[in-house]
Every structure is written in C-alpha cells, then in structure tokens.
Amino acid sequence: MQPSRAKKVGSPFAAIDPNPMVVLDQQNNWGRTETITEDYSDQLVRVQLDIMAYITVVVRAIQFDNGTNPTQLYPFAEVKWGNGNVLTTDIIDATGGAMEVVNASTVEVTVFLQDAEGNSPVAGSGASAQFQAFACVGIVPYPQHNPMFSRSSDPAPTIVIAGDSGMPVQGRVSQIYGFADNNSGAEAYLLIFDSNVAPSGADPNPGPLLEVFALPTGFSNFSQEYLNSLPFINGISYGVSSSPTTYVAVSIPVLRVTVETTRD
C-alpha cells in the first residue's frame, strides 16, 4: 500500500506552486551616460547572462543640440538581444524616452543620431546629445509615460508646449484635435511646428512642420491620431496661415487646439 501523503495545512494557497524566481548572484543592472557628437555612436549597455531573463531597457536623450545640421535630428538606439551570439536587432526612436522589454541572455544598446529619413548628422554641424541608457533584470509593471494634454484657445500664433523658461522639450504626439471658425473668406491652414518658438513674419518656419490641417470657411473640426506617435524635439507651436507650407498670417476669431503627448 502506498503511504498516504500528509495534507498541507496553514495557508489557503499552500496547494499553489509559485512560479520559479530568477535569482542572480551577480550585477543585475547596467548602464551609463555619454555625450554623442555628430555621426558617432557608442555602446552604453552590454549584458551577458548565464541564463535567459526578462530585461527592461530604457533609453533617453536628456540634452539635445541640433547644431547647424540642415535637417532635424532625433535620438535613436540600436537594441540587440537574444541568446549568446544569436541576436535580433531593433532600432527604436528614443525621442522623449523609450522602453523595451526583451527575454534574453545577451543585450546590447548602442545610441546614435539620425534625421527622420535615416541620414546621419553632417560632419562639422556640431550636433550632439547626452544619452542615458540602462538595462535591468525584471519587468516594469506600469507605462513609462502617462498622457499629457496641452490646450490653447488663442487664434494668434502660440507656443503650446515648451520646457521651463521656454527651453526646448522633447516628447511624442499621440493626437491633435480641435475646432476653428474661419471667417477670412478663403480656406486657411493650421500649421503645427516642432518648435518652442511661435511662427511670425520674421520667422515663418521656426522648426520642422509636423502637421497641417485645412480650415475651410465657417466652423470646422479637425483631428488626427498617430498610432505610432509623432516625435518632436523642441516643443509644439502653431499658427493659422494662408499657405500650407510656410506661415503667412491669417486672422480668424475662434480656434481651439488640444495636443495629447507623452514626454519626460
């Protein structure tokens, strides 16, 4: 006869076997801060474990200078992850901060600057960014960023988003929406710029043009959602224009703009 097994008593969860924990007897977080200039790149993280584990990778550029580069640059990271020398490569846009969770024993993070078309900075432009990158064993159980809503009801050229004392600020746009009453007698355009400076006659293109909304005569609504989000590196400003490509002042009586973003 088989001996009877003693029944577990005490905790009502005693019959539930917990998932095994990954216990490391070595360093379980890695990372550093480094300034990248022009077309240089630098590996800020290299992880080599004896076991597979969930690893959270976080990358951000905490300071940014586009220098004299003719196109707007953005901070990027190449994340290589896998087992041993069998690695998968992801390129992530780190504008406003980026986080990725991988299941791997090997993780490498290299940071660099590029424009939206994938071009490296021009030599001698003086472009630079101070990057922070780190990786740690485990999973962050909450989103890295929460949505933020910035609103303006000023029909004149306006700065919607800027850092402290009007300094540049980077982030990602997930949605822009609002309404307008255009009594100018002709179709106008709402120009949204990647800029912490409002457009003016002296500076009709203060930064890269992020979005253009047509405003027909009379009352109208406008809305655009960005499923992959839209990066900005300086801030958000707008102006109502008679041209869809460069700011030419038009006066309208009513305008409401709401920009939903995630940013540091």
Side-chain angles (χ1 to χ4, degrees):
M1 175 182 291
Q2 293 280 344
S4 61
R5 294 183 178 179
K7 184 177 181 181
K8 295 180 180 180
V9 295
S11 169
F13 305 106
I16 300 177
D17 292 327
N19 293 327
M21 297 290 289
V22 174
V23 179
L24 302 174
D25 59 359
Q26 59 185 19
Q27 180 185 9
N28 62 358
N29 57 83
W30 308 261
R32 62 192 177 96
T33 299
E34 200 68 50
T35 298
I36 305 301
T37 59
E38 298 180 2
D39 62 346
Y40 290 93
S41 62
D42 201 353
Q43 186 180 90
L44 301 191
V45 176
R46 190 176 191 281
V47 179
Q48 183 73 63
L49 303 178
D50 294 329
I51 58 175
M52 297 287 285
Y54 284 105
I55 298 176
T56 299
V57 176
V58 176
V59 185
R60 59 168 49 91
I62 57 175
Q63 295 179 7
F64 199 94
D65 184 355
N66 207 66
T68 59
N69 203 72
T71 57
Q72 180 63 61
L73 299 170
Y74 300 93
F76 285 87
E78 179 188 69
V79 180
K80 292 185 176 181
W81 57 276
N83 184 23
N85 292 323
V86 182
L87 303 178
T88 296
T89 299
D90 291 340
I91 302 296
I92 59 176
D93 184 343
T95 307
M99 180 177 68
E100 183 174 31
V101 178
V102 298
N103 187 16
S105 63
T106 301
V107 174
E108 300 174 0
V109 180
T110 300
V111 296
F112 57 95
L113 296 172
Q114 280 187 350
D115 66 15
E117 303 300 323
N119 301 308
S120 298
V122 173
S125 65
S128 66
Q130 187 178 59
F131 280 87
Q132 289 180 336
F134 68 86
C136 60
V137 173
I139 298 176
V140 178
Y142 50 84
Q144 184 187 13
H145 300 295
N146 291 319
M148 303 175 69
F149 296 87
S150 303
R151 301 178 176 88
S152 174
S153 296
D154 194 339
T158 298
I159 303 167
V160 185
I161 297 172
D164 292 339
S165 301
M167 295 298 291
V169 59
Q170 58 178 289
R172 308 191 71 89
V173 178
S174 53
Q175 190 174 11
I176 302 174
Y177 57 91
F179 57 84
D181 186 5
N182 174 15
N183 66 353
S184 66
E187 185 174 65
Y189 302 91
L190 175 65
L191 308 186
I192 308 291
F193 293 97
D194 178 348
S195 176
N196 61 333
V197 176
S200 66
D203 190 6
N205 293 96
L209 191 57
L210 291 180
E211 186 61 271
V212 178
F213 293 101
L215 304 179
T217 57
F219 186 87
S220 64
N221 295 286
F222 54 87
S223 177
Q224 181 65 53
E225 184 175 0
Y226 307 95
L227 296 181
N228 295 322
S229 70
L230 189 66
F232 63 92
I233 208 73
N234 301 298
I236 300 291
S237 67
Y238 69 74
V240 178
S241 170
S242 61
S243 166
T245 57
T246 190
Y247 176 72
V248 179
V250 170
S251 177
I252 64 174
V254 176
L255 178 65
R256 171 78 165 185
V257 178
T258 298
V259 182
E260 180 183 350
T261 61
T262 55
R263 60 185 190 271
D264 289 338

